[in-house]
Amino acid sequence: MTSVPPPFDPELAAALELVREVVSPVLTPEDIETVRRSEGLRQLAETDLTLDGAFEVTDRAVPGPAGAPEISLLVCRPTAPPVPGPLPVIYHVHGGGMVLGTNRVGVDAPLAWARELGAVVVSVEYRLAPEHPHPAPVEDVYAGLLWTAEHAREIGGDPERIVIAGASAGGGLTAALALLLRDRQGPPVIGQMLMCPMLDDRNDTPSGHQMQGLGVWDRTANETGWTALLGEARGGPAVSPYAAPARATDLTGLPPAFLDVGSAETFRDETVSYASRIWQAAGVAELHVWPGGFHGFDGFAPQASLSRSAREAHLDWLRRLLAH
């Protein structure tokens, strides 16, 4: 198995040089608290989520899982809906390697989709590992989805048109949410958007080895995140598919999926495998592998040509999904 990495897209390689000044590809357990207190995460909390008045933004405290604390949902409603009546709902799960982030991380992307499509965005805050290992994060995500479906009309949404979406750890939690909804016969969702998803705790794919020390999230960081979530069970035989969806043996009966990933990132092979297994289970999946893309490239370098293509593909899939 070669450890030589595929090349980065030239435009993204230049952007990555700047990103490296503030983001290291390597995250150790000792780094978690420092990164949580970083200036970059603090600035995210101060971003104008109204998009210059296009959205009314509120924080809602809603019931968490049984016996657990309340969770916070960030609810963003269009101030001038394009059509009367209930709107589609994009239920967003943030990234951060299972150990970082808030419901404001990465929400700029679903807000951009919602502005184009006329949709409500709900972004869920979930408890983070290692303080709150599995199943706390995914159960929080599930509880937030239950509230969103039950109260969709109250927030201007349509309970029959909910799309679940997330990137990185949020993509993995979104895939796990789809499995839970199927198995618990929860509220129906019409699609799942898995962007560079974190799916496999075994952390032993060729792409993981190729990208060691490169990009913004490497194999060492991945081990840190999965170990925080699962402890000594990481990589062992008893890991739940609701923690690591790559462990699922049955991918039938899932909502249509959109998956995308860069060719030059840790999660490439597990994402391609997951899409292939959905097809093998007679499911519906659209897969994009962006040549030369590093992990999260469209967020770190939104003006790059490849980033614009990726974001157009996200919006196009959502538009087609909602049309049908």
Side-chain angles (χ1 to χ4, degrees):
M1 179 171 60
T2 180
S3 61
V4 178
F8 292 117
D9 171 88
E11 192 176 11
L12 292 180
L16 187 57
E17 288 300 317
L18 299 176
V19 171
R20 283 194 184 113
E21 296 178 6
V22 292
V23 178
S24 168
V26 178
L27 180 77
T28 67
E30 294 73 28
D31 297 329
I32 292 173
E33 195 55 42
T34 300
V35 177
R36 286 177 179 174
R37 296 195 305 265
S38 68
E39 178 68 13
L41 287 182
R42 188 189 67 79
Q43 288 178 354
L44 285 172
E46 300 175 356
T47 301
D48 176 23
L49 300 180
T50 72
L51 300 192
D52 292 328
F55 291 92
E56 173 192 11
V57 179
T58 58
D59 287 285
R60 300 288 295 266
V62 309
E70 289 185 325
I71 56 177
S72 175
L73 296 180
L74 182 73
V75 180
C76 306
R77 300 174 58 175
T79 53
V83 295
L87 302 173
V89 178
I90 300 169
Y91 182 77
H92 173 251
V93 187
H94 72 79
M98 305 292 182
V99 298
L100 306 170
T102 71
N103 56 13
R104 283 162 165 76
V105 170
V107 77
D108 57 313
L111 284 173
W113 308 332
R115 181 167 54 183
E116 289 291 323
L117 300 171
V120 176
V121 173
V122 178
S123 188
V124 59
E125 186 102 355
Y126 55 86
R127 288 170 290 171
L128 299 174
E131 296 87 347
H132 303 284
H134 176 76
V138 73
E139 291 291 354
D140 286 354
V141 169
Y142 184 82
L145 188 280
L146 291 184
W147 186 94
T148 299
E150 292 169 1
H151 297 264
R153 295 194 185 279
E154 175 187 327
I155 60 173
D158 183 348
E160 303 299 323
R161 290 191 294 164
I162 298 175
V163 182
I164 57 178
S168 194
L173 286 165
T174 298
L177 174 61
L179 293 168
L180 273 179
L181 290 169
R182 179 198 64 186
D183 296 345
R184 294 178 178 176
Q185 299 182 324
V189 297
I190 64 171
Q192 54 176 326
M193 176 169 271
L194 314 179
M195 299 169 290
C196 54
M198 182 177 176
L199 299 167
D200 196 341
D201 66 294
R202 290 164 291 198
N203 197 28
D204 198 33
T205 61
S207 58
H209 287 277
Q210 284 180 305
M211 301 310 299
Q212 180 71 47
L214 300 173
V216 299
W217 185 263
D218 78 343
R219 190 163 175 261
T220 298
N222 208 33
E223 180 175 343
T224 296
W226 281 117
T227 302
L229 185 72
L230 298 171
E232 293 182 357
R234 185 198 69 80
V239 171
S240 167
Y242 308 133
R247 298 299 196 111
T249 57
D250 178 9
L251 296 182
T252 61
L254 296 174
F258 176 100
L259 304 94
D260 76 342
V261 70
S263 69
E265 70 154 290
T266 300
F267 297 149
R268 180 195 68 216
D269 294 339
E270 61 201 70
T271 301
V272 171
S273 175
Y274 201 72
S276 295
R277 293 178 56 225
I278 291 174
W279 295 322
Q280 291 160 13
V284 177
E286 179 172 322
L287 171 67
H288 294 257
V289 181
W290 301 105
F294 60 85
H295 184 64
F297 67 90
D298 59 313
F300 285 107
Q303 299 308 313
S305 296
L306 201 70
S307 301
R308 294 198 301 270
S309 295
R311 293 199 165 196
E312 288 169 6
H314 300 158
L315 189 60
D316 178 64
W317 182 80
L318 285 167
R319 186 177 284 115
R320 287 184 280 115
L321 181 74
L322 294 173
H324 295 292

PDB file of all heavy atoms in Angstrom, residues 160-185:
ATOM      1  N   GLU A 160     -42.799  17.322   6.420  1.00  0.00           N
ATOM      2  CA  GLU A 160     -42.673  16.310   5.368  1.00  0.00           C
ATOM      3  C   GLU A 160     -41.497  16.587   4.443  1.00  0.00           C
ATOM      4  O   GLU A 160     -41.237  15.806   3.521  1.00  0.00           O
ATOM      5  CB  GLU A 160     -43.954  16.257   4.535  1.00  0.00           C
ATOM      6  CG  GLU A 160     -45.201  15.971   5.343  1.00  0.00           C
ATOM      7  CD  GLU A 160     -45.144  14.624   6.041  1.00  0.00           C
ATOM      8  OE1 GLU A 160     -44.607  13.672   5.434  1.00  0.00           O
ATOM      9  OE2 GLU A 160     -45.617  14.536   7.187  1.00  0.00           O
ATOM     10  N   ARG A 161     -40.776  17.694   4.669  1.00  0.00           N
ATOM     11  CA  ARG A 161     -39.651  18.051   3.797  1.00  0.00           C
ATOM     12  C   ARG A 161     -38.445  18.455   4.637  1.00  0.00           C
ATOM     13  O   ARG A 161     -38.001  19.595   4.599  1.00  0.00           O
ATOM     14  CB  ARG A 161     -40.043  19.163   2.827  1.00  0.00           C
ATOM     15  CG  ARG A 161     -41.025  18.745   1.753  1.00  0.00           C
ATOM     16  CD  ARG A 161     -41.155  19.831   0.682  1.00  0.00           C
ATOM     17  NE  ARG A 161     -41.760  21.033   1.238  1.00  0.00           N
ATOM     18  CZ  ARG A 161     -41.716  22.235   0.645  1.00  0.00           C
ATOM     19  NH1 ARG A 161     -41.061  22.384  -0.500  1.00  0.00           N
ATOM     20  NH2 ARG A 161     -42.305  23.271   1.201  1.00  0.00           N
ATOM     21  N   ILE A 162     -37.927  17.505   5.402  1.00  0.00           N
ATOM     22  CA  ILE A 162     -36.744  17.737   6.220  1.00  0.00           C
ATOM     23  C   ILE A 162     -35.564  17.020   5.576  1.00  0.00           C
ATOM     24  O   ILE A 162     -35.641  15.834   5.254  1.00  0.00           O
ATOM     25  CB  ILE A 162     -36.944  17.232   7.659  1.00  0.00           C
ATOM     26  CG1 ILE A 162     -38.098  17.975   8.341  1.00  0.00           C
ATOM     27  CG2 ILE A 162     -35.655  17.397   8.464  1.00  0.00           C
ATOM     28  CD1 ILE A 162     -38.437  17.449   9.732  1.00  0.00           C
ATOM     29  N   VAL A 163     -34.483  17.756   5.384  1.00  0.00           N
ATOM     30  CA  VAL A 163     -33.223  17.206   4.893  1.00  0.00           C
ATOM     31  C   VAL A 163     -32.215  17.296   6.031  1.00  0.00           C
ATOM     32  O   VAL A 163     -32.113  18.338   6.686  1.00  0.00           O
ATOM     33  CB  VAL A 163     -32.692  17.997   3.677  1.00  0.00           C
ATOM     34  CG1 VAL A 163     -31.406  17.380   3.147  1.00  0.00           C
ATOM     35  CG2 VAL A 163     -33.739  18.082   2.581  1.00  0.00           C
ATOM     36  N   ILE A 164     -31.471  16.224   6.272  1.00  0.00           N
ATOM     37  CA  ILE A 164     -30.435  16.237   7.311  1.00  0.00           C
ATOM     38  C   ILE A 164     -29.070  16.389   6.637  1.00  0.00           C
ATOM     39  O   ILE A 164     -28.825  15.816   5.580  1.00  0.00           O
ATOM     40  CB  ILE A 164     -30.501  14.990   8.204  1.00  0.00           C
ATOM     41  CG1 ILE A 164     -30.395  13.689   7.401  1.00  0.00           C
ATOM     42  CG2 ILE A 164     -31.804  15.007   8.998  1.00  0.00           C
ATOM     43  CD1 ILE A 164     -30.411  12.417   8.263  1.00  0.00           C
ATOM     44  N   ALA A 165     -28.193  17.188   7.238  1.00  0.00           N
ATOM     45  CA  ALA A 165     -26.932  17.526   6.568  1.00  0.00           C
ATOM     46  C   ALA A 165     -25.841  17.788   7.590  1.00  0.00           C
ATOM     47  O   ALA A 165     -26.089  18.327   8.665  1.00  0.00           O
ATOM     48  CB  ALA A 165     -27.120  18.764   5.689  1.00  0.00           C
ATOM     49  N   GLY A 166     -24.614  17.418   7.225  1.00  0.00           N
ATOM     50  CA  GLY A 166     -23.473  17.715   8.081  1.00  0.00           C
ATOM     51  C   GLY A 166     -22.174  17.465   7.355  1.00  0.00           C
ATOM     52  O   GLY A 166     -22.130  16.741   6.354  1.00  0.00           O
ATOM     53  N   ALA A 167     -21.116  18.071   7.858  1.00  0.00           N
ATOM     54  CA  ALA A 167     -19.780  17.907   7.285  1.00  0.00           C
ATOM     55  C   ALA A 167     -18.848  17.347   8.343  1.00  0.00           C
ATOM     56  O   ALA A 167     -18.965  17.645   9.531  1.00  0.00           O
ATOM     57  CB  ALA A 167     -19.241  19.243   6.765  1.00  0.00           C
ATOM     58  N   SER A 168     -17.894  16.516   7.911  1.00  0.00           N
ATOM     59  CA  SER A 168     -16.867  15.951   8.770  1.00  0.00           C
ATOM     60  C   SER A 168     -17.520  15.129   9.881  1.00  0.00           C
ATOM     61  O   SER A 168     -18.312  14.232   9.599  1.00  0.00           O
ATOM     62  CB  SER A 168     -15.973  17.070   9.304  1.00  0.00           C
ATOM     63  OG  SER A 168     -14.790  16.561   9.866  1.00  0.00           O
ATOM     64  N   ALA A 169     -17.240  15.424  11.163  1.00  0.00           N
ATOM     65  CA  ALA A 169     -17.920  14.699  12.230  1.00  0.00           C
ATOM     66  C   ALA A 169     -19.427  14.861  12.116  1.00  0.00           C
ATOM     67  O   ALA A 169     -20.193  13.929  12.402  1.00  0.00           O
ATOM     68  CB  ALA A 169     -17.441  15.190  13.584  1.00  0.00           C
ATOM     69  N   GLY A 170     -19.867  16.036  11.665  1.00  0.00           N
ATOM     70  CA  GLY A 170     -21.299  16.250  11.459  1.00  0.00           C
ATOM     71  C   GLY A 170     -21.859  15.369  10.361  1.00  0.00           C
ATOM     72  O   GLY A 170     -23.019  14.951  10.421  1.00  0.00           O
ATOM     73  N   GLY A 171     -21.024  15.065   9.350  1.00  0.00           N
ATOM     74  CA  GLY A 171     -21.456  14.138   8.313  1.00  0.00           C
ATOM     75  C   GLY A 171     -21.611  12.729   8.851  1.00  0.00           C
ATOM     76  O   GLY A 171     -22.556  12.008   8.510  1.00  0.00           O
ATOM     77  N   GLY A 172     -20.674  12.314   9.718  1.00  0.00           N
ATOM     78  CA  GLY A 172     -20.786  11.006  10.340  1.00  0.00           C
ATOM     79  C   GLY A 172     -22.002  10.914  11.240  1.00  0.00           C
ATOM     80  O   GLY A 172     -22.735   9.909  11.227  1.00  0.00           O
ATOM     81  N   LEU A 173     -22.252  11.958  12.027  1.00  0.00           N
ATOM     82  CA  LEU A 173     -23.426  11.970  12.893  1.00  0.00           C
ATOM     83  C   LEU A 173     -24.713  12.023  12.079  1.00  0.00           C
ATOM     84  O   LEU A 173     -25.737  11.452  12.476  1.00  0.00           O
ATOM     85  CB  LEU A 173     -23.344  13.147  13.860  1.00  0.00           C
ATOM     86  CG  LEU A 173     -22.326  12.976  14.989  1.00  0.00           C
ATOM     87  CD1 LEU A 173     -22.049  14.311  15.672  1.00  0.00           C
ATOM     88  CD2 LEU A 173     -22.813  11.958  16.011  1.00  0.00           C
ATOM     89  N   THR A 174     -24.687  12.693  10.926  1.00  0.00           N
ATOM     90  CA  THR A 174     -25.854  12.714  10.055  1.00  0.00           C
ATOM     91  C   THR A 174     -26.147  11.322   9.508  1.00  0.00           C
ATOM     92  O   THR A 174     -27.303  10.880   9.463  1.00  0.00           O
ATOM     93  CB  THR A 174     -25.644  13.717   8.906  1.00  0.00           C
ATOM     94  OG1 THR A 174     -25.484  15.032   9.459  1.00  0.00           O
ATOM     95  CG2 THR A 174     -26.814  13.728   7.943  1.00  0.00           C
ATOM     96  N   ALA A 175     -25.106  10.601   9.086  1.00  0.00           N
ATOM     97  CA  ALA A 175     -25.298   9.224   8.620  1.00  0.00           C
ATOM     98  C   ALA A 175     -25.833   8.347   9.741  1.00  0.00           C
ATOM     99  O   ALA A 175     -26.722   7.502   9.523  1.00  0.00           O
ATOM    100  CB  ALA A 175     -23.979   8.669   8.085  1.00  0.00           C
ATOM    101  N   ALA A 176     -25.311   8.522  10.955  1.00  0.00           N
ATOM    102  CA  ALA A 176     -25.795   7.757  12.098  1.00  0.00           C
ATOM    103  C   ALA A 176     -27.243   8.105  12.410  1.00  0.00           C
ATOM    104  O   ALA A 176     -28.048   7.226  12.771  1.00  0.00           O
ATOM    105  CB  ALA A 176     -24.908   8.026  13.312  1.00  0.00           C
ATOM    106  N   LEU A 177     -27.589   9.378  12.284  1.00  0.00           N
ATOM    107  CA  LEU A 177     -28.977   9.803  12.495  1.00  0.00           C
ATOM    108  C   LEU A 177     -29.915   9.116  11.517  1.00  0.00           C
ATOM    109  O   LEU A 177     -31.002   8.656  11.899  1.00  0.00           O
ATOM    110  CB  LEU A 177     -29.074  11.324  12.364  1.00  0.00           C
ATOM    111  CG  LEU A 177     -30.473  11.932  12.426  1.00  0.00           C
ATOM    112  CD1 LEU A 177     -31.145  11.627  13.764  1.00  0.00           C
ATOM    113  CD2 LEU A 177     -30.400  13.445  12.188  1.00  0.00           C
ATOM    114  N   ALA A 178     -29.516   9.023  10.256  1.00  0.00           N
ATOM    115  CA  ALA A 178     -30.351   8.337   9.264  1.00  0.00           C
ATOM    116  C   ALA A 178     -30.576   6.874   9.655  1.00  0.00           C
ATOM    117  O   ALA A 178     -31.687   6.340   9.506  1.00  0.00           O
ATOM    118  CB  ALA A 178     -29.711   8.431   7.884  1.00  0.00           C
ATOM    119  N   LEU A 179     -29.532   6.212  10.155  1.00  0.00           N
ATOM    120  CA  LEU A 179     -29.676   4.829  10.608  1.00  0.00           C
ATOM    121  C   LEU A 179     -30.620   4.738  11.809  1.00  0.00           C
ATOM    122  O   LEU A 179     -31.481   3.840  11.881  1.00  0.00           O
ATOM    123  CB  LEU A 179     -28.305   4.256  10.981  1.00  0.00           C
ATOM    124  CG  LEU A 179     -27.316   4.055   9.834  1.00  0.00           C
ATOM    125  CD1 LEU A 179     -25.918   3.765  10.381  1.00  0.00           C
ATOM    126  CD2 LEU A 179     -27.755   2.937   8.898  1.00  0.00           C
ATOM    127  N   LEU A 180     -30.483   5.648  12.760  1.00  0.00           N
ATOM    128  CA  LEU A 180     -31.360   5.646  13.933  1.00  0.00           C
ATOM    129  C   LEU A 180     -32.812   5.899  13.549  1.00  0.00           C
ATOM    130  O   LEU A 180     -33.729   5.246  14.069  1.00  0.00           O
ATOM    131  CB  LEU A 180     -30.900   6.713  14.928  1.00  0.00           C
ATOM    132  CG  LEU A 180     -29.837   6.343  15.952  1.00  0.00           C
ATOM    133  CD1 LEU A 180     -29.500   7.548  16.820  1.00  0.00           C
ATOM    134  CD2 LEU A 180     -30.300   5.192  16.836  1.00  0.00           C
ATOM    135  N   LEU A 181     -33.048   6.845  12.666  1.00  0.00           N
ATOM    136  CA  LEU A 181     -34.413   7.152  12.242  1.00  0.00           C
ATOM    137  C   LEU A 181     -35.056   5.937  11.578  1.00  0.00           C
ATOM    138  O   LEU A 181     -36.234   5.639  11.799  1.00  0.00           O
ATOM    139  CB  LEU A 181     -34.421   8.353  11.292  1.00  0.00           C
ATOM    140  CG  LEU A 181     -34.079   9.703  11.930  1.00  0.00           C
ATOM    141  CD1 LEU A 181     -33.853  10.755  10.855  1.00  0.00           C
ATOM    142  CD2 LEU A 181     -35.195  10.147  12.882  1.00  0.00           C
ATOM    143  N   ARG A 182     -34.281   5.239  10.768  1.00  0.00           N
ATOM    144  CA  ARG A 182     -34.800   4.024  10.142  1.00  0.00           C
ATOM    145  C   ARG A 182     -35.110   2.962  11.192  1.00  0.00           C
ATOM    146  O   ARG A 182     -36.205   2.381  11.199  1.00  0.00           O
ATOM    147  CB  ARG A 182     -33.777   3.486   9.144  1.00  0.00           C
ATOM    148  CG  ARG A 182     -34.205   2.193   8.442  1.00  0.00           C
ATOM    149  CD  ARG A 182     -33.010   1.474   7.818  1.00  0.00           C
ATOM    150  NE  ARG A 182     -32.050   1.018   8.838  1.00  0.00           N
ATOM    151  CZ  ARG A 182     -30.879   0.462   8.545  1.00  0.00           C
ATOM    152  NH1 ARG A 182     -30.495   0.316   7.293  1.00  0.00           N
ATOM    153  NH2 ARG A 182     -30.071   0.065   9.520  1.00  0.00           N
ATOM    154  N   ASP A 183     -34.187   2.718  12.099  1.00  0.00           N
ATOM    155  CA  ASP A 183     -34.319   1.600  13.023  1.00  0.00           C
ATOM    156  C   ASP A 183     -35.323   1.869  14.140  1.00  0.00           C
ATOM    157  O   ASP A 183     -35.924   0.933  14.672  1.00  0.00           O
ATOM    158  CB  ASP A 183     -32.949   1.243  13.608  1.00  0.00           C
ATOM    159  CG  ASP A 183     -31.985   0.742  12.541  1.00  0.00           C
ATOM    160  OD1 ASP A 183     -32.445   0.402  11.430  1.00  0.00           O
ATOM    161  OD2 ASP A 183     -30.770   0.712  12.804  1.00  0.00           O
ATOM    162  N   ARG A 184     -35.488   3.151  14.509  1.00  0.00           N
ATOM    163  CA  ARG A 184     -36.456   3.499  15.547  1.00  0.00           C
ATOM    164  C   ARG A 184     -37.798   3.944  14.958  1.00  0.00           C
ATOM    165  O   ARG A 184     -38.692   4.335  15.699  1.00  0.00           O
ATOM    166  CB  ARG A 184     -35.892   4.611  16.435  1.00  0.00           C
ATOM    167  CG  ARG A 184     -34.690   4.197  17.254  1.00  0.00           C
ATOM    168  CD  ARG A 184     -34.158   5.362  18.074  1.00  0.00           C
ATOM    169  NE  ARG A 184     -33.017   4.958  18.900  1.00  0.00           N
ATOM    170  CZ  ARG A 184     -32.307   5.796  19.663  1.00  0.00           C
ATOM    171  NH1 ARG A 184     -32.625   7.097  19.697  1.00  0.00           N
ATOM    172  NH2 ARG A 184     -31.298   5.348  20.384  1.00  0.00           N
ATOM    173  N   GLN A 185     -37.891   3.893  13.639  1.00  0.00           N
ATOM    174  CA  GLN A 185     -39.093   4.347  12.939  1.00  0.00           C
ATOM    175  C   GLN A 185     -39.448   5.776  13.354  1.00  0.00           C
ATOM    176  O   GLN A 185     -40.587   6.095  13.683  1.00  0.00           O
ATOM    177  CB  GLN A 185     -40.258   3.390  13.201  1.00  0.00           C
ATOM    178  CG  GLN A 185     -39.973   1.968  12.698  1.00  0.00           C
ATOM    179  CD  GLN A 185     -41.123   1.019  12.899  1.00  0.00           C
ATOM    180  OE1 GLN A 185     -41.839   1.097  13.892  1.00  0.00           O
ATOM    181  NE2 GLN A 185     -41.315   0.120  11.948  1.00  0.00           N
TER     182      GLN A 185
END
